[in-house]
């Protein structure tokens, strides 16, 4: 809200009554000062630099409001916040909130605000262009134009097919190459996660700034899949990670496999949310109209997941589950209601030949969930459970054959 008001006052304040402008300025000043009371780890607050998208937004809020109302303390805070997130980003040239179909878009928008509205002598103006350019380059590596989807892994996701829900990376790509070729649902009234579509007009206003830093090669990749390749990187979210997360993604014409190895203090990633955190995922074209997705539902805080050409391997070297037997849980989604296909397990999904190897019990369980409790999608839950007396390293391997 604060960032939206910055845009409104900076660009359209001349259209508003003076009394309204004064009230909004006072509200922004209160919001910015109140934001300084948020400190990561104090009273359970999660406001750390690794919480990338709100940290980037709080930075421009402090900088712009401080300059607007003459509050040097806010301006200085904006500089400090910019330096803190830049130092963390510089470790691997990735944001900690890595590759989120929603929040990577918010981060790119916030960086555009740094460039547009940051004070001329600020660190925001210095760091914003570099960080935004790298964000585009990362997107160009991980986006599959054939599937019209961002390959995994996803630190935070609200769905399993960007063509069916309102994603904010979709809004960024729409601004770069147009709606018809972007991963945006055709039927807006039927899409999932509709509330985020309210963000799109703000993105449109900052699109000219965002595309200033769009490399020509990345734009080409957004329009046409560049060919099979591997992507490797790291991301780090202190204090949640015990070491940087290792990221591997295999990109092919009609199949993508993404994974990250994590060792954290809680289950569900830094956001502590298993429904969003997807450290291992396979996507593929079921046919010309349906995208299949197998995602790993996390039950462990330490996961060794690695993607390679045609394969996904997951193991738990430090399994800690105490509430139930150690298990590997997978969600398969992507079939329309009237699909006429009988799903029998991971080795029986449509459009993909999978060979599964594991030291879990051979008799898996499978249920079908239609209550839309996980990101509004319907899915099959396929679970492999380890023997209770097992003492080795649990593993599962999925090979595309």
């Amino acid at each position: 809200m604060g960032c939206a008001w910055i845009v409104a006052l900076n660009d359209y304040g001349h259209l508003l009554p003076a009394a309204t402008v004064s009230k909004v300025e006072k509200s922004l000043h209160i919001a910015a000062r109140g934001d300084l009371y948020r400190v990561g780890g104090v009273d359970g607050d999660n406001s750390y630099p690794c919480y990338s998208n709100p940290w980037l937004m709080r930075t421009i809020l402090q900088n712009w409001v401080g300059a607007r109302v003459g509050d040097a303390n806010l301006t200085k805070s904006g500089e400090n916040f910019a330096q803190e997130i830049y130092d963390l980003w510089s470790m691997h040239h990735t944001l900690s909130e890595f590759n989120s179909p929603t929040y990577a878009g918010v981060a790119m928008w916030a960086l555009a605000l740094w460039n547009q509205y940051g004070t001329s002598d600020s660190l925001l103006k210095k760091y914003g262009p570099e960080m935004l350019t790298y964000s585009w380059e990362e997107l160009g590596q991980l986006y599959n134009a054939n599937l019209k989807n961002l390959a995994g892994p996803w630190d935070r996701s609200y769905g399993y097919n960007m063509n069916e829900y309102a994603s904010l990376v979709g809004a960024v790509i729409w601004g770069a190459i147009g709606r018809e070729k972007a991963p945006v649902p055709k039927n807006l009234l039927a899409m999932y996660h509709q509330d985020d579509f309210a963000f799109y007009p703000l993105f449109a206003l900052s699109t000219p700034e965002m595309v200033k830093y769009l490399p020509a090669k990345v734009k080409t990749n957004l329009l046409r899949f560049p060919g099979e390749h591997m992507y490797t990187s790291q991301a780090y979210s202190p204090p949640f990670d015990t070491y940087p997360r290792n990221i591997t993604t295999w990109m092919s014409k009609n199949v993508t496999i993404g994974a990250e190895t994590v060792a954290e203090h809680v289950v569900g990633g830094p956001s502590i949310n298993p429904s969003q955190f997807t450290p291992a995922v396979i996507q593929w074209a079921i046919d010309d109209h349906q995208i299949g997705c197998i995602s790993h539902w996390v039950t462990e805080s330490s996961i060794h997941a690695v993607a390679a050409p045609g394969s996904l391997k997951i193991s738990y070297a430090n399994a800690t589950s105490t509430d139930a037997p150690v298990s590997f849980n997978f969600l398969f989604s992507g079939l329309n209601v009237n699909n006429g296909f009988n799903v029998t397990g991971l080795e029986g999904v449509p459009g993909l030949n999978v060979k599964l190897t594991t030291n879990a019990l051979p008799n898996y369980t499978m249920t079908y969930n239609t209550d839309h409790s996980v990101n509004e999608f319907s899915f099959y839950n396929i679970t492999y459970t380890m023997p209770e007396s097992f003492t080795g390293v649990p593993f599962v391997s999925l090979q595309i054959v």
Side-chain angles (χ1 to χ4, degrees), residues 227-388:
E228 181 178 338
H229 61 275
M230 284 290 301
Y231 172 88
T232 60
S233 190
Q234 290 181 298
Y236 186 39
S237 295
F240 301 97
D241 290 331
T242 58
Y243 57 78
R245 304 187 304 282
N246 295 310
I247 296 154
T248 50
T249 301
W250 175 65
M251 307 284 294
S252 72
K253 180 179 179 180
N254 291 314
V255 182
T256 65
I257 304 175
E260 61 181 331
T261 293
V262 303
E264 298 182 333
H265 304 294
V266 293
V267 174
S271 65
I272 317 177
N273 192 330
S275 69
Q276 296 179 9
F277 185 53
T278 311
V281 58
I282 302 173
Q283 281 184 303
W284 71 97
I286 295 176
D287 54 34
D288 291 340
H289 306 288
Q290 299 178 100
I291 302 297
C293 178
I294 296 171
S295 60
H296 175 47
W297 177 271
V298 295
T299 55
E300 297 288 337
S301 60
S302 180
I303 304 166
H304 188 268
V306 178
S311 76
L312 172 63
K313 296 180 179 180
I314 306 171
S315 62
Y316 304 148
N318 299 295
T320 58
S321 294
T322 57
D323 296 336
V326 174
S327 64
F328 294 94
N329 299 60
F330 296 93
L331 309 186
F332 163 60
S333 66
L335 287 179
N336 295 329
V337 175
N338 299 316
N339 59 77
F341 195 94
N342 182 30
V343 176
T344 58
L346 292 178
E347 293 183 315
V349 295
L352 192 71
N353 293 321
V354 177
K355 175 64 176 178
L356 184 144
T357 306
T358 182
N359 53 8
L361 295 170
N363 296 324
Y364 57 87
T365 62
M366 186 172 71
T367 58
Y368 185 55
N369 182 293
T370 59
D371 66 6
H372 303 287
S373 58
V374 179
N375 299 320
E376 302 179 70
F377 280 65
S378 298
F379 57 86
Y380 293 85
N381 185 332
I382 302 162
T383 300
Y384 285 82
T385 304
M386 300 303 300
E388 292 188 13

Side-chain angles (χ1 to χ4, degrees), residues 4 6 13 24 106 113 136 167 169 193 232 343:
I6 288 173
V24 174
V106 179
L113 298 186
W136 277 118
S167 73
V169 166
H193 213 65
T232 60
V343 176

Side-chain angles (χ1 to χ4, degrees), residues 31-46:
R33 291 171 64 187
D35 175 63
L36 296 181
Y37 285 92
R38 294 197 61 186
V39 179
V42 177
D43 296 328
D45 201 300
N46 63 351

Side-chain angles (χ1 to χ4, degrees), residues 174-192:
W174 179 349
I177 62 175
R179 177 177 176 176
E180 287 303 311
K181 295 184 180 297
V184 178
K186 294 186 181 300
N187 187 344
L188 300 182
L189 294 178
M191 68 184 174
Y192 301 124

